[in-house]
Coordinates of all heavy atoms in Angstrom, one line a residue:
A14 N 0.8 -1.2 0.0 CA 0.0 0.0 0.0 C 0.9 1.3 0.0 O 0.5 2.3 -0.6 CB -0.9 0.0 1.2
A15 N 2.0 1.2 0.7 CA 2.9 2.4 0.7 C 3.5 2.6 -0.6 O 3.7 3.8 -1.0 CB 3.9 2.2 1.8
E16 N 3.8 1.6 -1.3 CA 4.5 1.7 -2.6 C 3.5 2.0 -3.7 O 3.9 2.7 -4.7 CB 5.2 0.4 -2.9 CG 6.2 0.5 -4.1 CD 7.0 -0.7 -4.2 OE1 7.4 -1.4 -3.2 OE2 7.3 -1.1 -5.4
H17 N 2.3 1.6 -3.6 CA 1.3 1.8 -4.6 C 0.1 2.5 -4.0 O -0.8 1.8 -3.6 CB 1.0 0.5 -5.3 CG 2.1 -0.2 -5.9 ND1 2.6 0.2 -7.2 CD2 3.0 -1.1 -5.5 CE1 3.7 -0.5 -7.4 NE2 3.9 -1.3 -6.4
P18 N 0.0 3.8 -4.1 CA -1.1 4.5 -3.5 C -2.5 4.1 -4.0 O -3.5 4.3 -3.3 CB -0.8 6.0 -3.9 CG 0.6 6.0 -4.2 CD 1.0 4.7 -4.7
R19 N -2.6 3.6 -5.2 CA -3.9 3.1 -5.7 C -4.4 2.0 -4.8 O -5.6 1.8 -4.7 CB -3.7 2.6 -7.1 CG -5.0 2.3 -7.8 CD -4.8 1.9 -9.2 NE -5.5 0.7 -9.4 CZ -5.4 0.0 -10.5 NH1 -4.7 0.3 -11.5 NH2 -6.1 -1.1 -10.6
M20 N -3.5 1.2 -4.2 CA -3.9 0.1 -3.3 C -3.8 0.7 -1.9 O -2.8 1.2 -1.5 CB -3.0 -1.1 -3.5 CG -3.1 -1.7 -4.8 SD -2.0 -3.1 -4.8 CE -2.0 -3.4 -6.6
R21 N -4.9 0.6 -1.2 CA -4.9 1.1 0.2 C -5.6 0.1 1.1 O -6.4 -0.7 0.7 CB -5.6 2.5 0.3 CG -7.0 2.5 -0.2 CD -7.6 3.9 -0.2 NE -8.9 3.9 -0.7 CZ -10.0 3.7 0.1 NH1 -9.9 3.5 1.4 NH2 -11.2 3.7 -0.5
L22 N -5.2 0.2 2.3 CA -5.8 -0.7 3.4 C -7.0 0.0 4.0 O -6.8 1.2 4.4 CB -4.8 -1.0 4.5 CG -3.5 -1.7 4.0 CD1 -2.5 -1.9 5.2 CD2 -3.8 -3.1 3.4
T23 N -8.1 -0.6 3.9 CA -9.3 0.1 4.3 C -9.5 0.0 5.8 O -10.2 0.8 6.4 CB -10.6 -0.5 3.6 OG1 -10.6 -1.9 3.8 CG2 -10.5 -0.1 2.1
N24 N -9.0 -1.0 6.5 CA -9.2 -1.1 7.9 C -7.8 -1.4 8.7 O -7.8 -2.2 9.6 CB -10.2 -2.2 8.2 CG -9.8 -3.6 7.7 OD1 -8.8 -3.7 6.9 ND2 -10.4 -4.6 8.1
E25 N -6.8 -0.7 8.3 CA -5.5 -0.8 8.9 C -5.5 -0.6 10.4 O -4.9 -1.4 11.1 CB -4.5 0.2 8.2 CG -3.1 0.0 8.7 CD -2.1 1.0 8.0 OE1 -2.6 1.7 7.1 OE2 -1.0 1.0 8.4
T26 N -6.2 0.4 10.8 CA -6.3 0.7 12.3 C -6.9 -0.5 13.1 O -6.3 -0.9 14.1 CB -7.1 1.9 12.5 OG1 -6.5 3.0 11.7 CG2 -7.0 2.3 14.0
E27 N -7.9 -1.1 12.5 CA -8.6 -2.2 13.2 C -7.8 -3.4 13.3 O -7.7 -4.1 14.3 CB -10.0 -2.5 12.6 CG -11.0 -1.4 12.7 CD -10.9 -0.3 11.6 OE1 -10.0 -0.3 10.8 OE2 -11.8 0.5 11.6
V28 N -7.1 -3.7 12.2 CA -6.2 -4.9 12.1 C -5.1 -4.7 13.1 O -4.7 -5.6 13.8 CB -5.8 -5.2 10.7 CG1 -4.7 -6.3 10.6 CG2 -6.9 -5.6 9.8
D29 N -4.4 -3.6 13.0 CA -3.3 -3.3 13.9 C -3.7 -3.4 15.4 O -3.0 -4.0 16.2 CB -2.8 -1.9 13.6 CG -1.5 -1.6 14.3 OD1 -0.6 -2.5 14.3 OD2 -1.3 -0.5 14.9
A30 N -4.9 -2.9 15.7 CA -5.4 -3.0 17.1 C -5.7 -4.4 17.5 O -5.4 -4.9 18.6 CB -6.7 -2.2 17.2
A31 N -6.2 -5.2 16.6 CA -6.5 -6.6 16.8 C -5.2 -7.4 17.1 O -5.1 -8.2 18.0 CB -7.3 -7.3 15.7
I32 N -4.2 -7.1 16.3 CA -2.9 -7.8 16.5 C -2.3 -7.4 17.8 O -1.8 -8.3 18.5 CB -1.9 -7.5 15.3 CG1 -2.4 -8.2 14.0 CG2 -0.5 -7.8 15.6 CD1 -1.7 -7.8 12.8
K33 N -2.3 -6.2 18.1 CA -1.7 -5.7 19.4 C -2.5 -6.3 20.6 O -1.9 -6.7 21.6 CB -1.7 -4.2 19.5 CG -0.7 -3.6 18.6 CD -0.7 -2.1 18.7 CE 0.4 -1.5 17.7 NZ 0.4 -0.1 17.6
Q34 N -3.8 -6.4 20.5 CA -4.6 -7.0 21.5 C -4.3 -8.5 21.7 O -4.1 -9.0 22.8 CB -6.1 -6.9 21.2 CG -7.0 -7.4 22.4 CD -6.8 -6.6 23.6 OE1 -6.9 -5.4 23.7 NE2 -6.6 -7.3 24.7
L35 N -4.1 -9.2 20.6 CA -3.7 -10.6 20.7 C -2.3 -10.8 21.3 O -2.1 -11.7 22.1 CB -3.8 -11.3 19.3 CG -5.2 -11.6 18.8 CD1 -5.1 -12.1 17.3 CD2 -5.9 -12.6 19.7
E36 N -1.4 -9.9 20.9 CA -0.1 -9.9 21.5 C -0.1 -9.7 23.0 O 0.5 -10.5 23.8 CB 0.8 -8.9 20.9 CG 1.3 -9.2 19.5 CD 2.1 -8.0 18.9 OE1 1.8 -6.8 19.1 OE2 3.1 -8.4 18.2
Q37 N -0.9 -8.8 23.5 CA -1.1 -8.6 24.9 C -1.7 -9.8 25.6 O -1.2 -10.2 26.7 CB -1.9 -7.3 25.2 CG -1.2 -6.0 24.8 CD -2.1 -4.8 24.9 OE1 -3.3 -4.9 25.3 NE2 -1.6 -3.6 24.7
D38 N -2.8 -10.3 25.0 CA -3.4 -11.5 25.6 C -2.5 -12.7 25.7 O -2.5 -13.3 26.7 CB -4.7 -11.8 24.8 CG -5.8 -10.8 24.8 OD1 -5.7 -9.9 25.7 OD2 -6.7 -10.9 24.0

């Protein structure tokens, strides 16, 4: 997504939060 602006992550914040939550758990 960073290299190709036409492709973007629509829920990057939610996925990042889910990963961090699982790491903490």
Side-chain angles (χ1 to χ4, degrees):
E16 192 172 323
H17 299 278
R19 187 178 130 187
M20 295 182 193
R21 60 186 176 87
L22 300 175
T23 56
N24 59 347
E25 182 177 358
T26 305
E27 293 85 354
V28 173
D29 191 47
I32 287 173
K33 287 179 180 173
Q34 184 63 51
L35 285 173
E36 285 177 322
Q37 289 175 358
D38 293 347

